[in-house]
Amino acid sequence: MNESTPPLTSPISVDAIVVGAGFSGLYQLLLLREKLGLTVKVLDTAQGVGGTWYWNRYPGARCDSESHSYAYYFSKELLAEWEWSERYPQQPEILRYLNHVADRFDLRTDITLGTKVLSAHYSEENNLWHITTNRGQIYTATYFITGVGCLSSANIPSIEGLDSFSGQWFHTGEWPHEGVDFTGKKVGVIGTGSTGIQAIPMLAEQAKHLTVFQRTANYSIPARNKPLDDTFRRFAKENAQYFREVMTTNTNAHPFRIADRLALDCSDEERNQIYEDAWLKGGLQFRATFKDLLQNPQANQTAADFIRNKIRQTVIDPVKAEQLSNIDHPFAAKRPPIDSGYFETFNASHVDLVNLRETPIECITPQGIKTSAAEFKLDMIVFATGFDAMTGSLLKMDIRGRNGLTLENAWHAGPLNYLGLQVPGFPNMFTITGPGSPSVLCNMPPAIEHHVEWITHCIAYLRQNQYNTIEANQQASEDWMATVNAAANETLLPQAKHSWYLGANVPGKPRVFMPYPGGFLRYRNICEEIVSKGYAGFMLEHESLGQTDK
Ligand code: N01
């Protein structure tokens, strides 16, 4: 704590507290401060800005969105001056970008790092949020805004014996800043989601021996990462407005449109050629080859079969090939990973695959991992086991709304919310990319920009019209949950039973489809319509007039 820190007993009063200094928190700070003239404090546990990109430093960590789309679009100058070096930016480059944003817009003065929010309690008496930090500081604020990220609370499975392991172990989402040297080590990695699929080829490059513990086999499309040349960089900048238009008017906020054709309308040859071209091009565009891949099981099957064949053609050992291609869910029903040499890695003689469906992990021993078939001697274990997604980081804070209602209680049956922006019972609290919003089904920066701008307009409206509070209506929230559920049921997404979209990766977590799967454009239109109807579904309260139910 520096000398300018006030005595711990005197609360600091600001208009808004924002939790998290990643993509969300940085932009929210900028808008509230510059557009509305509010006093704002951003709090973050990390010692630097960057959010998820501060923590996820595992080997191979890079973004699966293309760099020209994984950026803020609100500032022409920022877009013009930043140069991405690769088709998919690596973690250090994204972290440099976010640090540049913090400096360029002079954000650091209003960010307090190394500070964890322990609790946020709403007081009806004075219509203020009281926020307590691990440094003993109390803040009071009219608006409490969370920008904690959807995938930020590490999911470390409770496997018996982990404490007894005599080697080192790491979770990819809490990676040591000094890095880890795997040279000459026997390494085990648990998890084959997007993270594991990025990390495994890099771990294999260093480790003396790598054992991959796979519970669910996964599809993956080659990323075809490459350095960007000046011609493409110029093209992306000259067409920035075009890309912005595409990203904000499509389903997933990526800079490409989903092809307007049905998979089964093509002949087998035509369809295979389309898949082949997309495979060669690489990246998440593969999912955009046909518009019915996530709706029609037969259409999906054609994509799934194409990828399974590719896996079998790539992996030489027929047993490994079978285990890697024996995938139990439709293509893209889980977030589809993209990779750089993932399946090829299994052709190396020092890389083994253990199928946990056949031989589950029984425990961790001092020497390694014991499955029902054998004990694997390891020096290091990497948990690429994902996150307590969307709700984990919010529930870790002790958040209480009206009448002391805890968020935990409010969400005992699942994360009840309205538009992924508010929770009934929690006035003036906003959740940037919260559960119930399209967020994780999108390229994140456009989804974040949309939410931050929506919240800013909303607060401006409240202040212009002397409303003291805004709060999601209970019935509107229940209806929104039904809307999210109905949109999920229009797709094959709920068929991936182990997906974190459903909370199924965390024992005891309610099984509720969390992100809104109706598409980014549809969602934006719904949000706009609600605003145009005077914030329908929200309750707005005037100081003197009492509550208005919209
Ligand atoms: O996590 P995951 P992730 N025993 O939950 C396995 C984003 N992301 O970190 O499928 C054994 O997807 C689990 O097995 P199963 C992206 O949105 C973005 O990989 O539950 N195995 C699975 O294989 C992504 O979707 C980028 O059977 C266990 C794996 O661990 C999200 O983050 C890069 C286990 C977890 O997969 C999460 O991806 C990377 C256990 N007890 C990630 N528990 C970029 O674009 C879990 N597993 C930047």
Side-chain angles (χ1 to χ4, degrees):
M1 227 172 287
N2 64 37
E3 283 168 4
S4 62
T5 307
L8 296 185
T9 45
S10 80
I12 297 174
S13 166
V14 288
D15 293 317
I17 284 288
V18 178
V19 192
F23 265 99
S24 300
L26 295 180
Y27 187 35
Q28 189 66 80
L29 163 59
L30 179 69
L31 285 196
L32 293 181
R33 197 179 71 181
E34 305 300 323
K35 287 238 184 305
L36 305 192
L38 301 194
T39 53
V40 186
K41 181 61 81 182
V42 175
L43 305 172
D44 197 307
T45 315
Q47 297 295 344
V49 302
T52 196
W53 299 104
Y54 177 88
W55 297 105
N56 280 269
R57 296 168 186 244
Y58 60 86
R62 67 171 74 242
C63 185
D64 290 346
S65 296
E66 296 188 48
S67 52
H68 65 288
S69 68
Y70 200 76
Y72 293 114
Y73 266 65
F74 67 81
S75 160
K76 282 193 183 124
E77 296 74 24
L78 176 62
L79 272 172
E81 73 202 15
W82 187 260
E83 302 284 359
W84 294 106
S85 67
E86 292 178 271
R87 182 175 177 189
Y88 303 96
Q90 283 198 61
Q91 174 271 335
E93 191 169 17
I94 306 172
L95 193 56
R96 273 200 304 281
Y97 171 74
L98 290 169
N99 273 283
H100 170 71
V101 170
D103 291 332
R104 190 190 196 288
F105 296 101
D106 190 24
L107 299 177
R108 293 189 197 273
T109 45
D110 293 312
I111 301 174
T112 302
L113 296 166
T115 300
K116 187 176 184 168
V117 171
L118 299 180
S119 66
H121 295 177
Y122 174 70
S123 157
E124 273 164 283
E125 227 168 83
N126 50 16
N127 187 33
L128 285 176
W129 282 89
H130 294 250
I131 291 104
T132 313
T133 74
N134 64 335
R135 296 170 66 167
Q137 184 61 62
I138 294 172
Y139 294 88
T140 60
T142 306
Y143 308 106
F144 176 60
I145 305 173
T146 62
V148 293
C150 301
L151 297 154
S152 48
S153 177
N155 173 36
I156 301 167
S158 59
I159 301 176
E160 192 195 319
L162 179 57
D163 288 350
S164 73
F165 182 54
S166 59
Q168 288 176 289
W169 65 267
F170 311 93
H171 186 280
T172 48
E174 295 174 348
W175 203 256
H177 286 204
E178 64 280 13
V180 182
D181 185 6
F182 294 95
T183 313
K185 305 287 186 196
K186 290 190 291 270
V187 181
V189 54
I190 303 178
T192 52
S194 298
T195 302
I197 282 176
Q198 284 187 338
I200 284 163
M202 304 298 290
L203 297 174
E205 270 182 23
Q206 275 191 26
K208 183 168 128 201
H209 194 275
L210 182 68
T211 309
V212 177
F213 295 88
Q214 171 190 278
R215 189 163 68 183
T216 305
N218 216 338
Y219 302 96
S220 183
I221 310 294
R224 312 268 181 225
N225 185 42
K226 58 183 178 193
L228 290 179
D229 57 24
D230 286 342
T231 311
F232 181 81
R233 278 198 284 255
R234 209 170 34 247
F235 171 78
K237 286 181 187 191
E238 285 171 2
N239 293 285
Q241 285 320 304
Y242 163 77
F243 284 122
R244 183 178 212 183
E245 168 70 13
V246 173
M247 291 191 289
T248 53
T249 56
N250 70 18
T251 306
N252 298 109
H254 281 287
F256 49 82
R257 295 207 187 275
I258 296 175
D260 187 20
R261 62 185 167 214
L262 300 169
L264 303 181
D265 280 356
C266 296
S267 69
D268 290 353
E269 291 72 32
E270 282 167 343
R271 196 171 46 246
N272 267 335
Q273 193 55 53
I274 289 167
Y275 286 144
E276 197 66 52
D277 292 346
W279 186 264
L280 283 176
K281 199 169 179 194
L284 293 170
Q285 280 110 313
F286 189 93
R287 176 174 69 164
T289 43
F290 295 100
K291 67 177 177 185
D292 55 345
L293 289 187
L294 256 184
Q295 281 77 31
N296 178 348
Q298 286 79 34
N300 192 285
Q301 189 69 40
T302 64
D305 286 346
F306 178 88
I307 301 170
R308 288 193 182 105
N309 280 336
K310 285 288 182 193
I311 299 171
R312 290 189 199 107
Q313 285 161 17
T314 306
V315 180
I316 296 163
D317 177 340
V319 177
K320 284 182 183 170
E322 177 52 29
Q323 293 185 339
L324 288 163
S325 60
N326 188 6
I327 306 170
D328 68 356
H329 52 277
F331 167 63
K334 284 182 165 186
R335 152 73 150 73
I338 63 173
D339 70 272
S340 299
Y342 173 65
F343 294 113
E344 291 81 349
T345 299
F346 292 92
N347 292 333
S349 56
H350 70 298
V351 178
D352 284 337
L353 180 65
V354 175
N355 182 353
L356 298 179
R357 285 283 164 84
E358 284 172 3
T359 56
I361 293 177
E362 287 186 342
C363 62
I364 293 178
T365 67
Q367 288 79 36
I369 294 179
K370 187 170 179 305
T371 69
S372 59
E375 182 176 4
F376 296 84
K377 300 262 169 32
L378 302 168
D379 302 312
M380 290 169 162
I381 300 174
V382 174
F383 288 93
T385 44
F387 302 91
D388 183 352
M390 305 206 79
T391 58
S393 294
L394 292 168
L395 289 170
K396 271 187 186 164
M397 292 182 279
D398 172 15
I399 300 178
R400 297 181 193 208
R402 277 190 201 282
N403 305 316
L405 173 67
T406 63
L407 190 62
E408 205 178 355
N409 274 341
W411 282 1
H412 72 279
L416 180 69
N417 69 82
Y418 188 40
L419 301 176
L421 279 160
Q422 276 216 314
V423 182
F426 297 78
N428 291 348
M429 175 175 116
F430 297 92
T431 50
I432 305 173
T433 65
S437 70
S439 56
V440 290
L441 297 172
C442 291
N443 175 33
M444 285 303 284
I448 287 169
E449 280 190 335
H450 172 245
H451 260 193
V452 167
E453 288 164 11
W454 193 97
I455 292 166
T456 307
H457 288 143
C458 173
I459 292 176
Y461 178 84
L462 298 179
R463 295 171 83 81
Q464 279 153 17
N465 294 284
Q466 286 88 45
Y467 285 116
N468 285 344
T469 60
I470 182 164
E471 181 184 344
N473 170 290
Q474 176 78 21
Q475 187 59 51
S477 304
E478 286 171 17
D479 292 347
W480 181 247
M481 300 297 286
T483 303
V484 172
N485 216 25
N489 288 331
E490 285 170 17
T491 71
L492 306 177
L493 288 163
Q495 291 192 17
K497 299 285 177 228
H498 300 284
S499 143
W500 58 258
Y501 293 153
L502 272 167
N505 61 330
V506 175
K509 190 165 172 168
R511 297 285 186 274
V512 174
F513 197 87
M514 291 185 288
Y516 171 71
F520 190 43
L521 176 61
R522 197 159 137 198
Y523 174 77
R524 286 167 53 91
N525 288 340
I526 293 170
C527 289
E528 255 174 53
E529 196 189 331
I530 282 167
V531 172
S532 73
K533 291 182 178 162
Y535 290 89
F538 290 96
M539 298 179 293
L540 301 160
E541 195 177 273
H542 265 303
E543 190 154 28
S544 51
L545 300 180
Q547 219 163 62
T548 316
D549 201 344
K550 296 273 177 173

